[in-house]
Amino acid sequence: MTVFTGINNHVQGLLFVIAAFLFIFSSGFIFFDPLNWNSFAHDLFKTLCHQFHWRTYAANDLYMATCTRCFGIYSGMFIGCLSIPFIRKKIKPVFINAIIFIVSTLAFNFIDFTGNFLGLWTNTLHSRMMLGIPFGFSISYLILTAYYIQTQKK
C-alpha cells in the first residue's frame, strides 16, 4: 500500500504511467528525438492544446507538443505522482480539501489569463508553466483522494 493508506498499488501505478506518458510526450522530444517522434507527439496533443509556437518552449528547432501551461499541468501531475507517496503522512485525504486545492489553482490560472487578456500584465512562458504545475499537482491529489475515499467506503 502506498500514497494514502489503503490505496492499491495498481491505481497509483496506473496514474504514474499516465502522468509520465503525458509529461514525456508533451515535451515534444525537443532535447532528444532520435526517432523523429516530435511530429507524433504534436499529433497526440492537437485536440488538447492550441499548440501556438509562441506559447511554448523550443530547442534544436523543435517546439514542444503543448503550450507551456499544458506542459506545466502534465509536469505537475507527474510531480504529484512522484511526491505524494513521500508526503502522505502529512496529508489527510479529505475530499473537500482536494476540491478547494483544485479550485484555487484554477482561480489563479483564470486570474492570470484574464489579466493578460485585459492588458493588465503580460504573462510569460515561465509564468504559464509555473501556474500549470500546481494545477497538475492538484489533479493527482484529487484523483488519489477520491480513490482513497471510495476504497474506505467498502
Side-chain angles (χ1 to χ4, degrees):
M1 303 288 192
T2 57
V3 184
F4 299 116
T5 306
I7 290 187
N8 188 319
N9 282 334
H10 299 300
V11 172
Q12 180 189 355
L14 179 63
L15 183 60
F16 176 78
V17 168
I18 291 169
F21 174 84
L22 291 171
F23 171 70
I24 292 167
F25 276 82
S26 69
S27 75
F29 300 93
I30 61 172
F31 298 110
F32 181 70
D33 190 16
L35 301 174
N36 196 25
W37 283 14
N38 182 266
S39 62
F40 174 67
H42 278 266
D43 288 342
L44 281 175
F45 290 98
K46 68 182 171 188
T47 59
L48 299 174
C49 179
H50 54 70
Q51 298 178 324
F52 296 144
H53 69 275
W54 60 88
R55 287 196 176 174
T56 190
Y57 294 121
N60 303 323
D61 295 325
L62 296 173
Y63 292 99
M64 295 178 77
T66 61
C67 69
T68 53
R69 191 178 314 267
C70 291
F71 181 69
I73 292 168
Y74 301 134
S75 299
M77 286 177 63
F78 185 65
I79 292 167
C81 289
L82 291 176
S83 62
I84 287 174
F86 298 105
I87 59 175
R88 69 180 180 263
K89 292 179 178 142
K90 296 182 189 258
I91 295 176
K92 184 173 181 175
V94 178
F95 192 70
I96 191 68
N97 292 348
I99 295 294
I100 291 169
F101 186 28
I102 203 164
V103 168
S104 64
T105 59
L106 271 172
F108 281 118
N109 279 281
F110 179 76
I111 290 166
D112 180 54
F113 169 82
T114 304
N116 185 65
F117 182 76
L118 296 175
L120 300 174
W121 60 75
T122 302
N123 55 26
T124 65
L125 296 178
H126 303 312
S127 70
R128 288 183 191 111
M129 189 175 100
M130 296 314 288
L131 285 170
I133 289 172
F135 179 62
F137 187 92
S138 69
I139 292 170
S140 294
Y141 180 67
L142 178 68
I143 292 169
L144 293 173
T145 299
Y147 184 78
Y148 171 77
I149 290 168
Q150 286 295 342
T151 58
Q152 295 305 310
K153 289 182 180 180
K154 292 180 181 180

